[in-house]
Amino acid sequence: MSESGEFCPNCGDPIEVDRSTRAYPGAATRRERKLCDSCYFDRFDLVDAPERIEVRVCAQCGAVHRGNRWVDVGARDYTDVAIEEVSDALGVHVDADDVSWQVDPEQVDQNTIRMHSYFSGVVRGTVVEEDVTVPVKISRQTCTRCGRIAGDYYASTVQVRAVGRTPTAEETERAREIATEIVEEMEATGDRDAFVTDVSETEDGLDLKVSTTNIGKKIASKLIEEFGGDFSDSETLVTEDEDGNEVYRVTYAVRLPPFTPGDVIDPRDEGGPVLVRSVRSNLKGRRLTTGEPFELRFDDDDAPEPRKLGRVEDAEETTLVATEDEHAVQVLDPETYRTKTVARPDYLDVDADSVPVLKSRAGLHVLPDESRESG
Ligand SMILES: [Zn+2]
Ligand SMILES: [Zn+2]
């Protein structure tokens, strides 16, 4: 012990400082040291605790209100949430080292938890302990998202349609899946504004109402990426919000291509029917007369409008009777059971006993064998 030459400003006692502490040049340390230990501990509070804490939770989805927004915490039990809120709200004195704390929640009723907390720490070389009890009130409300869902809120509609036909079950099913996937991806990044408000079948397709225009646009883009076609958007003024800003809803009108893979079409170019394999950017397929690849640009306005003849699912298995030459074979017409000479595409296996054929207004044509599985 040595005299520091300083005196406690509170009680006037000389302050004892050991050399190791005195050698430490921190200004804060010097200022704290102005009080003697006795006066310092008289005024010392290890823990700074609020009188009570209110935790706002959403009664529908369990989200917790933090700061100025709702957060999904994935809690099954609000006790854990209450403990976390209390630990955030309690402050431990900066001078304390080796702080440890325990908490003992006491469920008073459904909406009240008394949080008994025990703290200990080391201050000025002395172990200090303190108990605090903070009542936590769980306040059940409705979060912004659940309120919007309950109010059928939506900011955008995706209309899934197809040119000259209604979308297939596969296309509308996939549209629903895409909507769910996009919302889930956005939720995974913490976006609480993403949801699907409504999905409804219409006479000519499917309507998806979603919570943001961004989601609507993503669904439309993904659909045409997978199925081809295009989309356009249009805005409708619906209302003004509380700040006087105009609120628009955006409709994304998706037009899927007129044909889907598995369609048999007549491109009306004298080359014979085509089995469609892909419609994503261009229409791609195979001639049923020769087996040669076929391609048609959708934006080719000079090309005649192709005509649909049937689907691979409509094909029937029939007997391959004989090979005539390199361009023709004989098969049994599945309707009349008469032998008929038809074109011999390069995919036809002349050793086969039977082949799939499609009878359409363009005549009788042999389909590729694998189309039965893929169709
Ligand atoms: Zn003093
Ligand atoms: Zn909610």
Side-chain angles (χ1 to χ4, degrees):
M1 298 270 195
S2 64
E3 295 289 314
S4 66
E6 288 182 44
F7 299 91
C8 173
N10 191 45
C11 65
D13 281 356
I15 294 170
E16 292 160 0
V17 181
D18 66 40
R19 286 207 171 76
S20 61
T21 310
R22 206 180 177 189
Y24 194 73
T29 310
R30 287 187 60 83
R31 193 160 53 243
E32 293 291 349
R33 283 283 162 177
K34 281 182 179 172
L35 286 176
C36 71
D37 280 358
S38 164
C39 292
Y40 177 84
F41 282 115
D42 275 352
R43 298 172 175 198
F44 183 80
D45 269 326
L46 180 62
V47 183
D48 179 26
E51 267 178 42
R52 62 198 288 279
I53 289 175
E54 186 188 22
V55 180
R56 294 164 63 190
V57 302
C58 176
Q60 314 296 321
C61 70
V64 174
H65 196 266
R66 274 189 191 141
N68 57 359
R69 60 197 199 97
W70 290 91
V71 208
D72 290 309
V73 293
R76 263 183 245 118
D77 181 357
Y78 288 130
T79 308
D80 289 340
V81 174
I83 290 173
E84 208 175 307
E85 295 293 316
V86 167
S87 72
D88 284 351
L90 292 176
V92 177
H93 200 288
V94 289
D95 289 352
D97 294 320
D98 298 331
V99 176
S100 65
W101 79 298
Q102 296 177 42
V103 66
D104 183 10
E106 177 200 348
Q107 190 88 39
V108 179
D109 59 44
Q110 203 206 348
N111 294 323
T112 315
I113 301 166
R114 284 170 65 83
M115 213 56 83
H116 304 285
S117 313
Y118 310 95
F119 284 83
S120 77
V122 177
V123 179
R124 290 196 178 189
T126 308
V127 174
V128 185
E129 292 178 320
E130 197 169 321
D131 294 353
V132 288
T133 296
V134 183
V136 180
K137 181 166 185 300
I138 307 285
S139 162
R140 283 164 214 272
Q141 305 181 342
T142 302
C143 76
T144 323
R145 176 178 60 184
C146 290
R148 284 179 169 181
I149 292 172
D152 289 331
Y153 172 92
Y154 67 99
S156 153
T157 304
V158 182
Q159 295 174 338
V160 184
R161 305 287 185 270
V163 176
R165 62 183 178 94
T166 53
T168 63
E170 188 200 346
E171 287 164 339
T172 54
E173 193 49 47
R174 187 65 193 128
R176 288 172 191 263
E177 276 174 23
I178 287 171
T180 310
E181 284 166 14
I182 288 170
V183 164
E184 278 172 3
E185 273 168 29
M186 296 179 83
E187 277 179 342
T189 67
D191 188 338
R192 298 201 85 246
D193 294 330
F195 56 86
V196 177
T197 310
D198 185 57
V199 181
S200 54
E201 307 245 356
T202 69
E203 264 184 24
D204 45 2
L206 190 76
D207 283 358
L208 297 148
K209 288 178 182 167
V210 294
S211 59
T212 71
T213 54
N214 184 27
I215 298 170
K217 191 174 186 176
K218 281 187 175 191
I219 294 171
S221 306
K222 184 82 176 133
L223 266 172
I224 67 161
E225 184 194 316
E226 290 189 14
F227 293 111
D230 55 26
F231 72 89
S232 60
D233 56 64
S234 56
E235 283 186 340
T236 322
L237 177 67
V238 281
T239 183
E240 287 187 358
D241 67 13
E242 50 270 31
D243 301 323
N245 298 313
E246 293 176 330
V247 177
Y248 289 89
R249 266 184 200 144
V250 181
T251 299
Y252 295 95
V254 176
R255 287 171 303 269
L256 297 172
F259 306 109
T260 63
D263 280 348
V264 175
I265 62 166
D266 177 7
R268 302 205 282 185
D269 61 356
E270 310 297 313
V274 167
L275 171 62
V276 178
R277 295 207 176 260
S278 157
V279 290
R280 288 246 281 261
S281 48
N282 294 343
L283 186 151
K284 293 193 188 73
R286 227 169 166 184
R287 290 282 188 191
L288 298 185
T289 44
T290 59
E292 280 169 1
F294 172 85
E295 199 165 339
L296 179 71
R297 281 171 47 186
F298 284 126
D299 56 6
D300 186 351
D301 292 332
D302 296 333
E305 197 68 25
R307 180 166 66 167
K308 185 170 166 177
L309 298 172
R311 293 275 309 160
V312 283
E313 291 87 352
D314 306 330
E316 287 175 83
E317 198 70 18
T318 196
T319 306
L320 179 61
V321 179
T323 305
E324 248 174 42
D325 58 34
E326 56 183 300
H327 299 298
V329 289
Q330 290 178 355
V331 296
L332 277 190
D333 183 316
E335 272 176 23
T336 62
Y337 294 102
R338 288 198 186 134
T339 303
K340 203 162 184 182
T341 299
V342 299
R344 175 184 165 182
D346 59 7
Y347 50 74
L348 189 150
D349 175 10
V350 289
D351 296 329
D353 295 328
S354 67
V355 289
V357 290
L358 180 75
K359 194 169 187 182
S360 71
R361 52 190 156 163
L364 196 60
H365 292 92
V366 179
L367 290 175
D369 218 21
E370 73 269 24
S371 67
R372 279 175 299 187
E373 288 104 60
S374 66

